C-alpha cells in the first residue's frame, strides 16, 4: 500500500505505473473469481462410493457429484451405497443402512441424483404438487417443522428444500440445486433441513477448482 509520506513520482514512467496498477486492481476480482470457479466433478471419492463410482461415470453424461461426509440417522454409525439407476441423462445413488441393500425401501435411508436439465425436465412444483399441497395443508398427517422453500448453499448457489412428511413410511427431506445445466438432488429420510443442506454443501465442496 502506498503511504502518504512516500515521495510522489512524476513523469511518464510514474503515470504508466499508476495506470498499470489501476488495470490490475480492476481485474483482480475477475481473476479471483476465475481462480475460485468450481468444475463439476469430484476431488475425493470416499470408500463407501469407490465400488461403483468409475462404472457410474462411464454410464452417464451427467457429472457424478458425491459428498465426503454423510449425516447419518441416530441409529446408524456406518453406511453403504449403490448406484441403483444410470442412463445418459440421469443417475441415482442410494444411501443404505445394510450392505447389498440395492435400493430396497426397508434398508435405504437416503439418495442422491443428477440429471440433464432441459426445457422438457419437469419443474419441482409439477413433480411434487401433491406433496406440496399436503405440506401446506397437512391435516393430522405428521410432517417436518422445517418450511418448504429456497435455501442458501455454499459458493453462492441457491437450492430448494422440500421437507419430509409421513406416508406409508417417512419420506426424504430433499435439497435440489442447479449447476451448469444439470439439476442435482440429495435426500435423507425424516431429516432436518440443516442435515440435508449439510449433505448438499458437502457435495458442492467436493468439486475441483479451475486453474486461473
Amino acid at each position: 500500500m502506498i503511504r502518504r509520506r512516500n515521495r510522489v513520482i512524476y513523469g511518464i514512467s510514474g503515470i504508466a505505473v499508476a495506470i498499470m496498477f489501476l488495470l490490475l486492481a480492476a481485474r483482480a476480482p475477475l481473476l479471483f473469481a476465475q481462480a475460485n470457479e468450481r468444475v463439476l466433478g469430484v476431488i475425493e471419492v470416499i470408500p463407501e462410493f469407490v465400488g461403483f463410482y468409475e462404472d457410474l461415470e462411464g454410464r452417464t453424461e451427467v457429472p457424478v457429484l458425491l459428498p465426503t461426509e454423510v449425516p447419518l440417522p441416530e441409529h446408524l454409525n456406518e453406511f453403504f451405497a449403490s448406484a441403483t439407476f444410470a442412463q445418459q441423462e440421469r443417475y441415482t445413488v442410494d444411501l443404505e443402512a445394510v450392505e447389498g441393500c440395492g435400493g430396497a425401501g426397508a434398508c435405504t435411508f437416503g439418495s442422491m441424483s443428477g440429471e440433464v436439465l432441459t426445457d422438457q425436465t419437469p419443474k419441482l412444483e409439477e413433480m411434487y404438487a401433491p406433496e406440496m399441497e399436503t405440506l401446506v395443508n397437512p391435516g393430522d398427517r405428521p410432517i417436518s417443522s422445517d418450511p418448504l422453500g429456497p435455501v442458501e448453499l455454499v459458493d453462492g448457489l441457491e437450492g430448494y428444500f422440500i421437507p419430509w412428511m409421513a406416508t406409508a413410511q417417512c419420506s426424504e427431506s430433499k435439497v435440489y440445486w442447479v449447476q451448469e445445466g444439470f439439476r442435482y438432488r440429495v435426500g435423507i429420510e425424516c431429516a432436518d433441513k440443516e442435515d440435508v443442506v449439510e449433505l448438499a454443501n458437502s457435495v458442492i465442496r467436493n468439486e475441483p477448482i479451475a486453474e486461473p
Side-chain angles (χ1 to χ4, degrees):
M1 183 177 69
I2 300 175
R3 294 182 173 86
R4 291 184 182 274
R5 68 172 179 268
N6 286 1
R7 182 169 58 88
V8 177
I9 301 173
Y10 293 96
I12 300 298
S13 60
I15 295 173
V17 170
I19 292 173
M20 184 180 296
F21 178 81
L22 290 172
L23 288 174
L24 288 173
R27 290 189 62 198
L30 176 60
L31 292 173
F32 182 85
Q34 289 173 341
N36 287 274
E37 181 182 356
R38 291 190 175 273
V39 179
L40 288 183
V42 296
I43 302 171
E44 179 183 358
V45 180
I46 59 176
E48 289 83 357
F49 301 115
V50 167
F52 62 81
Y53 172 68
E54 288 188 3
D55 177 64
L56 179 57
E57 269 203 316
R59 290 190 288 148
T60 181
E61 66 182 43
V62 183
V64 177
L65 305 187
L66 299 172
T68 55
E69 296 181 3
V70 174
L72 297 179
E74 292 183 359
H75 64 284
L76 295 179
N77 55 22
E78 64 177 347
F79 78 96
F80 305 89
S82 62
T84 53
F85 182 83
Q87 291 181 342
Q88 283 212 330
E89 298 83 10
R90 61 183 60 87
Y91 70 85
T92 300
V93 171
D94 282 315
L95 305 175
E96 302 164 345
V98 177
E99 188 172 9
C101 172
C107 50
T108 298
F109 67 88
S111 63
M112 302 178 294
S113 68
E115 62 182 335
V116 177
L117 190 61
T118 70
D119 293 339
Q120 285 71 48
T121 305
K123 293 180 171 53
L124 296 184
E125 54 266 31
E126 297 171 0
M127 295 169 56
Y128 292 102
E131 289 89 342
M132 289 181 177
E133 177 63 29
T134 300
L135 288 166
V136 174
N137 301 292
D140 296 330
R141 179 174 293 182
I143 63 169
S144 169
S145 60
D146 293 315
L148 172 86
V151 290
E152 292 185 5
L153 304 176
V154 294
D155 294 337
L157 293 174
E158 184 175 281
Y160 197 84
F161 172 72
I162 299 175
W164 64 266
M165 65 180 194
T167 53
Q169 63 185 61
C170 190
S171 66
E172 292 181 3
S173 290
K174 308 172 189 72
V175 169
Y176 282 85
W177 73 97
V178 174
Q179 284 182 269
E180 297 185 22
F182 301 98
R183 185 166 69 184
Y184 292 94
R185 172 190 60 81
V186 297
I188 304 175
E189 287 184 358
C190 287
D192 295 335
K193 177 169 70 173
E194 179 181 358
D195 287 339
V196 189
V197 168
E198 178 185 339
L199 179 57
N201 285 337
S202 179
V203 170
I204 297 165
R205 290 191 187 103
N206 191 29
E207 296 167 5
I209 295 175
E211 295 292 334

